[in-house]
Amino acid sequence: MTILIRGARVLTLDDENSEYESADILIEGSKIVAIGPDLTPPGNGAEIEVIDARGKLVMPGLVNAHFHSSGNFMKGALDDTPLEIFMLYEVPPVTGQVPSPRHNYVRTVLGAMEMLKRGVTAVQDDAYHVPDVTKDGIDSIMQAYADCGMRAHVSIDQPNVVEYDKYPYLTDLLPDEIRQEMKQAPIRSADDLIALYEWFIDRWNGACDGRLRCAVSCSAPQRVTTDYLARLNDLSREHGLAYYIHVLETKLQRVLGREKYGKSLVRYLHDQGVLNERCNIIHSIWVDDDDIRLLAESGCTVAHQPLCNMKIGSGVMPFRRLRDHNIPICLGSDESNTDDSANMWTVAKAAGLIHKLSDPEYRNWPKAPEILHCLIGGAARAMQLTGQVGMLKAGYEADLILLDLNTLNFTPLNDLRRQLVYCEDGTSVEMTMVAGNIVYRDGKLLTVNEEAIKAEVRELMATYGKEIDAISDSAARLEPYYREMYLRAAAQNVDMNRWVG
């Protein structure tokens, strides 16, 4: 299929930051063939769709560079609490049922629909499985992305150590009966998980003409054995896959590194030989100067989730210090129980605003073009897709969106980049294209039946809502011990502060 977009304002976000007041974009198959004024379509008799884009903006699609589809049914479900308490409700350590494949499928489609309608063409999904992972569960997630038409890189986020070993102080705080329950929870061996990954990569990596790819995930270094941490790195290197690692999201994790390893978690990753250019280091809030130097030397990308960090009180990432060390940054929404949406426009706006509260030197504050680069170009780097997505350029994948410039978001239009970051909320998006296929247009998803999926979500919630209630009861039983752990860690001096005020 050949598509010719006519007369659009074009924001390429290429290395020269090229912009056209009016230009055409020629797309053949999944690729952009040419960009420029008055392009002539090929005369080879191929079917051509011409799209009149006068008064519209065409730009690269947004990327949600860190996401957990497993939380898609939990928007608005939980009160705001610190991460360590929040996770009792999100990934319960001593309760929960393996969801059906259909539950996984519908849950994943729900998040993909929201993203595609708001111009998000690609996602990195660090999919966790509670209480255990199955091949059917993995297949259902991947099939959801295949059917929706979204570009997705997906991992298996499955810790393999006992719950209380992931935290400082907790072993001593828990009563023996609870420790015994935690010991009995399903834990996969490194051999078992690596075998599962090998099956996953063989089955799904490069599926849908490369639109779907696998990634690897340890969740966080303290949540897996050192053997599994290293073997995931081997898989990442062998197949050229991104490696997702949550690091120093909270002050408690800073304390954990000192108590358990005698060093920061960044230094621990470095010493284990797994800190490299394929890593997505997620959050990186409670990092010190030595950590930042190690991150910069490794070539990794840091994934920044400003709304999630605010909602659960994790703190403010030292954005400018990371950027000053030339560390690539990408943006993510995290999940629907910590952002309550998957709207990357609001994530970008939050990233543009929150760092103004941590530095009185206004020349250090992020500017709109920098935020746009994190949102799109930094995300392409994180996905190991530099040179393939993240720009509108001949030879690149046709992952692009069309926005109406006649909306209130752009009226009057004073500065395009500032208004994309601070005014746009997704309501101007008229069309979303992934790999040359139009998947959303004029308010309608073209790949899935939105109304049918929403109706099925409501049916599934009749049962899942009862499970949430059971999880809440279990979490309430554990919360006093986790609260004591949290308060004890919060009282420690870690020679830095990442909270505002």
Side-chain angles (χ1 to χ4, degrees):
M1 178 71 178
T2 298
I3 296 175
L4 181 62
I5 301 175
R6 286 282 196 198
R9 182 167 180 172
V10 179
L11 185 63
T12 66
L13 297 182
D14 64 10
D15 293 334
E16 292 76 34
N17 215 14
S18 305
E19 183 176 348
Y20 300 86
E21 284 296 323
S22 179
D24 304 339
I25 303 175
L26 181 63
I27 298 154
E28 293 185 359
S30 72
K31 305 283 189 182
I32 297 170
V33 174
I35 303 174
D38 302 319
L39 294 179
T40 301
N44 55 9
E47 181 183 356
I48 300 173
E49 178 179 359
V50 178
I51 298 172
D52 183 355
R54 289 172 294 179
K56 317 292 184 183
L57 171 72
V58 177
M59 64 178 287
L62 310 190
V63 181
N64 192 344
H66 180 61
F67 184 64
H68 300 282
S69 62
S70 316
N72 284 350
F73 280 179
M74 297 187 75
K75 58 178 66 175
L78 303 178
D79 275 337
D80 303 346
T81 58
L83 174 72
E84 291 77 22
I85 295 171
F86 187 89
M87 289 180 71
L88 293 174
Y89 299 83
E90 173 205 31
V91 283
V94 294
T95 189
Q97 299 178 355
V98 175
S100 70
R102 186 63 187 176
H103 177 113
N104 271 2
Y105 178 88
V106 172
R107 184 172 64 184
T108 306
V109 170
L110 179 67
M113 292 194 309
E114 180 177 359
M115 288 186 278
L116 290 171
K117 292 182 73 172
R118 288 174 168 153
V120 179
T121 54
V123 63
Q124 293 199 116
D125 186 356
D126 189 23
Y128 55 81
H129 300 258
V130 179
D132 198 13
V133 58
T134 66
K135 290 182 177 180
D136 284 346
I138 294 168
D139 276 345
S140 58
I141 292 170
M142 300 305 292
Q143 191 62 53
Y145 286 123
D147 293 348
C148 287
M150 193 169 194
R151 188 177 303 281
H153 292 192
V154 183
S155 69
I156 305 168
D157 179 340
Q158 199 70 14
N160 74 332
V161 299
V162 176
E163 168 75 5
Y164 49 73
D165 282 344
K166 305 169 189 174
Y167 298 103
Y169 315 132
L170 190 58
T171 302
D172 295 334
L173 289 170
L174 289 172
D176 183 64
E177 64 181 80
I178 294 179
R179 285 199 302 271
Q180 293 304 315
E181 289 178 42
M182 290 179 174
K183 279 186 179 180
Q184 294 169 10
I187 296 178
R188 295 286 191 119
S189 69
D191 286 345
D192 193 12
L193 287 169
I194 291 297
L196 187 65
Y197 257 114
E198 289 172 342
W199 165 85
F200 178 43
I201 292 167
D202 182 65
R203 181 170 174 81
W204 284 105
N205 194 38
C208 298
D209 297 320
R211 180 167 54 81
L212 303 184
R213 290 185 65 182
C214 301
V216 302
S217 172
C218 68
S219 184
Q222 71 275 17
R223 297 173 189 160
V224 295
T225 62
T226 55
D227 173 53
Y228 186 43
L229 184 75
R231 291 171 70 181
L232 285 172
N233 184 55
D234 293 340
L235 277 180
S236 168
R237 180 176 58 251
E238 179 183 352
H239 297 281
L241 309 179
Y243 191 167
Y244 304 155
I245 312 176
H246 294 74
V247 181
L248 292 173
E249 181 175 356
T250 67
K251 183 178 180 180
L252 183 142
Q253 292 174 5
R254 186 86 208 174
V255 173
L256 169 70
R258 184 176 66 192
E259 295 287 327
K260 184 170 184 177
Y261 304 108
K263 61 187 77 173
S264 85
L265 294 174
V266 172
R267 170 63 68 174
Y268 171 72
L269 288 171
H270 172 271
D271 291 350
Q272 294 297 316
V274 299
L275 190 60
N276 56 62
E277 73 283 355
R278 297 180 304 280
C279 290
N280 282 208
I281 301 300
I282 303 159
H283 296 291
S284 299
I285 298 170
W286 293 83
V287 290
D288 63 15
D289 289 342
D290 184 59
D291 296 328
I292 293 171
R293 179 181 61 81
L294 292 174
L295 293 173
E297 290 173 355
S298 75
C300 73
T301 303
V302 166
H304 181 28
Q305 291 68 237
L307 284 171
C308 166
N309 297 343
M310 286 190 277
K311 182 176 173 67
I312 58 177
S314 297
V316 180
M317 187 191 80
F319 179 92
R320 181 54 59 208
R321 288 165 68 189
L322 295 176
R323 292 285 289 176
D324 284 347
H325 282 76
N326 297 314
I327 297 171
I329 294 176
C330 57
L331 301 178
S333 69
D334 216 299
E335 58 187 305
S336 291
N337 47 18
T338 55
D339 186 335
D340 300 299
S341 80
N343 188 340
M344 291 306 298
W345 300 103
T346 58
V347 170
K349 183 172 183 174
L353 294 175
I354 185 63
H355 302 291
K356 296 174 172 64
L357 302 181
S358 57
D359 190 347
E361 177 48 83
Y362 58 89
R363 291 179 178 176
N364 290 336
W365 295 351
K367 299 296 190 290
E370 187 174 24
I371 296 298
L372 283 174
H373 181 268
C374 294
L375 181 61
I376 298 171
R381 167 71 180 78
M383 297 179 79
Q384 311 295 303
L385 291 180
T386 300
Q388 301 176 59
V389 302
M391 300 180 188
L392 300 185
K393 188 173 181 178
Y396 275 57
E397 290 290 307
D399 289 10
L400 56 82
I401 57 177
L402 188 148
L403 292 87
D404 182 6
L405 294 178
N406 191 39
T407 62
L408 292 174
N409 299 332
F410 299 103
T411 306
L413 181 51
N414 292 307
D415 185 279
L416 179 61
R417 290 163 181 79
R418 290 193 198 111
Q419 286 173 248
L420 283 168
V421 172
Y422 295 114
C423 303
E424 181 54 41
D425 55 5
T427 55
S428 304
V429 177
E430 287 193 349
M431 185 185 80
T432 302
M433 176 185 291
V434 182
N437 294 311
I438 299 171
V439 294
Y440 169 74
R441 187 183 227 171
D442 298 328
K444 183 176 177 61
L445 289 161
L446 305 182
T447 51
V448 292
N449 185 327
E450 180 179 357
E451 294 307 314
I453 290 292
K454 289 190 294 189
E456 191 169 357
V457 168
R458 296 184 184 101
E459 291 177 7
L460 288 169
M461 285 303 295
T463 300
Y464 184 61
K466 296 175 183 177
E467 186 173 342
I468 291 177
D469 291 342
I471 290 170
S472 296
D473 291 342
S474 174
R477 174 175 169 238
L478 297 173
E479 183 171 337
Y481 310 106
Y482 281 71
R483 175 174 168 79
E484 176 60 29
M485 171 189 67
Y486 167 80
L487 293 174
R488 188 179 297 183
Q492 299 299 310
N493 177 15
V494 296
D495 298 318
M496 69 179 74
N497 178 48
R498 295 287 182 256
W499 289 311
V500 174

